Amino acid sequence: MTALRWIILIGVTGGLILFPALFEPLLRPFAPAGGPAIYDRASLASLTVSHLALVALAMIPSTLIALSLAILVTRPAGAEFLPMARVLANIGQTFPPVAVLALSVPLLGFGARPTVLALFLYGLLPIFENALAGLRAVPGSVLLSGKAMGMTPRQVLAQVEMPLALPLILEGIRISIVIALSTATIGSTVAARSLGEVIIAGLTSNNPAYVIQGGVLTGCIAVLLYDAFGLLIEIAKRLTGREPQQAA
Amino acid sequence: MSVPRIDRLSAVMALPLLASPALTAFGFRPNRIAPPQPRTWAEAIGWPLTGALLAGLVLLAVALLLLRRPGMRLLLLAGALAALVVLLGRGAVLLLEQAAPAARVSPGAGFWLAAGTLLLLLVDAFARMRPGPAARAALLACAVAGVAVLLGSGTLAGLSVAAEFRVRADAFHRATADHLVLAFGSFLAALVFGLPTGLAIQRHPGLRGPVLNLLTLIQTIPSIALFGILIVPLAWVAAHVPGAADAGIKGIGTAPALIALFLYSLLPIVANTVAGLDAVPRAVTEAARGMGMTEARRLWWIDLPLTLPVILAAARIVLVQNIGLATVGALIGSGGYGTFIFQGIGQTATDLILLGVIPTVALAFLTSSIMDLLIALSGGQPQ
């Protein structure tokens, strides 16, 4: 079942990106009479690369900063900022990604820059929240054992807390990436090069074939990355000696 | 402790507060889409009022450093925020008096920095009071009343977003109705469908994996993709099923948006229903059975009340998510506040973008606050 899911996902994604012409007979019935069935204004491969680049450019700083903040507020020195940080994260989550994207445009103009900014800002919250939950869930007895073994606070963080929190941290990154992939699609409304371009072109030129092509491809990529992170999380759980949870 | 201990959070937050007057307080534009020119507080409200503002900010910073009682901080910050907003409205009116009718004035970075800092400190002070449900309800009511008075009094009528609103009041009310129907309609449908589904898969563990996997898969699909893909089958239904087109079902518009939001809503509701039912202690179920309660009565009197906080938590997630995602529906013609956002992006008109963003965020925030309150009242842990 799982293997089949991987084969279908990789097959459809790879096929749509590398050999779009193969899908012509499938998409033809949805295209307007005489109109093109395969998106030809840009290669899907280059749009995919650009889409993933937007996500990566935003997610790397997002992960680093959110993790650092979560570590900071769980140290004794940063404890006074914890309530504020949680309130901020909670309020931030009520901001829809589209709103963040739209408000980045007046600041940075059109193109990739506002999109990356929006993805970066929106990506902070899930990673921060999950890292916080992971770090706070480490039992006090475990921390005390580390200390009793003569570990410095830095060693406790690197060798005890971070490995134990890793599955939840990865879960946060997974949520952020799924949201970022989705928001990057909307980024094409502010002229960022992404796969959303194909969907929007289909909507504006009334060509459902384009919509299906772009929609199925972005959907498959999102599910692929989601599943890949699922694997990483399983590995992380196994490494820290936790029982892998029953697949939910 | 004889020496008063300085509040560290306030020490950090005082910096943006004190730096804010150095940034532009207002953006002045000769017309709606011209780039904004910076205007300082002094240029807008004159030196005497600006002096009062500066002195007020310094006094406020010192007071915050020394004052640790959350209740006092809350009152002080609320007063400061109100004063800042009144000054903003006054400044906008004064700047417009000297300008041509097409001119627009909007808050600048300096105002946003000061207001944002005050708001954060306010929320922090409130969180430190560890308020119960009654206090939270009271603060929420005060905040809503305060915003209503502010908007009703016309204090902010000089601002560009208000000008944008006056031109489109009708469209705005339509967008509000559409947005509410999309966000809450799809939620109600998901509740009607999701609760029994959750109940069923909790009773039949074999179904749990496949159903939850499918719903997770749906949640992973990017919103425009799902909205777009749904257009195809709905257009087919509208063309081939008699009466469907008359019932308002079309490829584009409200129908695909409602269905997409409904599908996105299912996962939190079903997953939380299952988790909540799983958490009902066995001893309670056994006791109820021992008392001779039937299956149906157990469900109604035992399982549902105990599961309620978890289901309300799902409702909170779903509603906030739907209110945000409904904006994307504007791309497929379903109306809502997203219409203003995407029109504004197209025209590079920041005011129009804000006319869509502000009510969306306000609605999401209000809804999540009310849901938090309900969760607290039902005995659960609010966020």
Side-chain angles (χ1 to χ4, degrees), chain A residues 5 30 77 80-81 84 87-88 90-91 93-96 98-99 102-103 106 110 178 182 185-186 189-190 199 203 208 211-212 215-216 218-219 222-223 226 248, chain B residues 7-9 12-13 120 123-124 213 216-217 220 222-225 228-229 231-232 316 324 327-328 331-332 341-342 345 348 350 353-354 357 360-361 364 368 383:
Chain A
R5 177 160 157 163
F30 299 104
E80 245 175 297
F81 296 90
M84 160 79 85
V87 165
L88 199 60
N90 199 13
I91 294 178
Q93 229 125 37
T94 58
F95 265 76
V98 178
L103 290 179
F110 282 86
V178 167
S182 176
T185 320
I186 304 170
T189 58
V190 301
I199 302 175
L203 290 176
V211 176
I212 294 176
V216 169
T218 42
V223 176
Y226 182 87
Chain B
D7 184 64
R8 289 172 71 178
L9 180 79
V12 173
M13 298 299 272
L120 279 180
V123 176
D124 175 69
N213 269 332
T216 311
L217 181 83
T220 311
S223 44
I224 302 193
I229 291 172
I231 292 178
V232 178
R316 177 189 190 274
T327 52
V328 180
L331 289 174
I332 55 166
I341 298 180
F342 288 110
I345 291 176
T348 59
T350 312
I353 297 178
L354 283 174
V357 166
T360 310
V361 172
S368 82
Q383 277 271 306

